[in-house]
Amino acid sequence: MSNHSAPLLSREQLDPIDKDLNQNSLTSSRKRRLRRCRSAPRGDCIYNNDEDVKTDEPPPHRSIIPMFRDLNPNLREVIMFFILYLTIGTLCFYIVRNQISGHKTNGVLDAVYFCVVTMTTVGYGDLVPSSSTSRLLACAFVFSGMVLVGHLLSRAADYLVERQETLLAKAFDLHKTVGPREFLKELHNKLRHKCYVTFLVLVVLVLVGTIFLVMFEKMPVIEAFYCVCSTVTTLGYGDRSFNSGTGRLFAVFWILTSTICLAQFLLYVAELNAETKQRELVKWVLTRRITNNDLEAADLDGDGVISCGVYII
């Protein structure tokens, strides 16, 4: 008998079996990997063909409040601090409402009004602390309000720095398609448009405040405009203020809106000035011809070779 027996199946019959075995092994291996990773964080990979594998959904947004989902993280943080400040301040000043002297209307409304006036440093003087406890409490909220305003200004400064840092990158990236002059002109026009819109909103707020004081507080037009200007600029001389309940309810929202709008307008003006200087720098960089002195200055290590990273530095 021959030692070598003939194969039971031919090569053509073995090929489909090998393919099926490889496919089953791949599917089983993938399922095993998914089983081991079910306790891991959610991922973007979704396998709908396997019935025994749980489908992962996209990770939820970190903000559970719908109105905050599309806000900038820095702005969201400032809003949360402001809500916390206003809530605690209103509660504290309502508790010591009998220790605050002046023209009063409603306990809760006066507490919110006094908290807003204190935070914005308007300080009309129509409501003033009259005891040691209320005065110490007012001092604490004056400083905490200034810290909150300083935090807001620091975020605004970060915004300016980020805008200046991204200007050069955008210019280098877009000048290939639209040209440096067209890009800089479009960017400058957008910023100027924001300044115009903010200034228009500020004018509308001044007019609304003046008309409201004339109609509800029965002030002459000049005195109403004087009170509006002293409020928006946070001077708060105190000879004219909101005395009625309706006026203080209006003042709670109007003072916050008008002072923030003025600060935003000043921020855009500062950004426009910085953008003009940065625009001149970008124009000089994009239109200037490279000389041999520039290449020698870019060779920091002195090896005669200039890489992209060394040239940018």
Side-chain angles (χ1 to χ4, degrees), residues 269-301:
V269 171
E271 183 183 359
L272 182 62
N273 294 332
E275 199 79 28
T276 302
K277 296 180 181 179
Q278 198 74 12
R279 181 185 179 187
E280 296 176 357
L281 176 61
V282 171
K283 182 178 180 181
W284 176 77
V285 170
L286 294 178
T287 58
R288 183 175 178 271
R289 296 179 62 87
I290 299 177
T291 62
N292 293 331
N293 294 331
D294 297 331
L295 297 177
E296 292 178 358
D299 188 11
L300 300 178
D301 51 5

Side-chain angles (χ1 to χ4, degrees), residues 69-93:
R69 291 179 181 176
D70 298 329
L71 291 178
N72 184 276
N74 294 333
L75 180 59
R76 188 186 303 117
E77 181 181 356
V78 172
I79 292 177
M80 295 301 296
F81 277 123
F82 168 72
I83 294 176
L84 181 63
Y85 174 90
L86 195 61
T87 303
I88 298 176
T90 301
L91 179 62
C92 293
F93 289 125

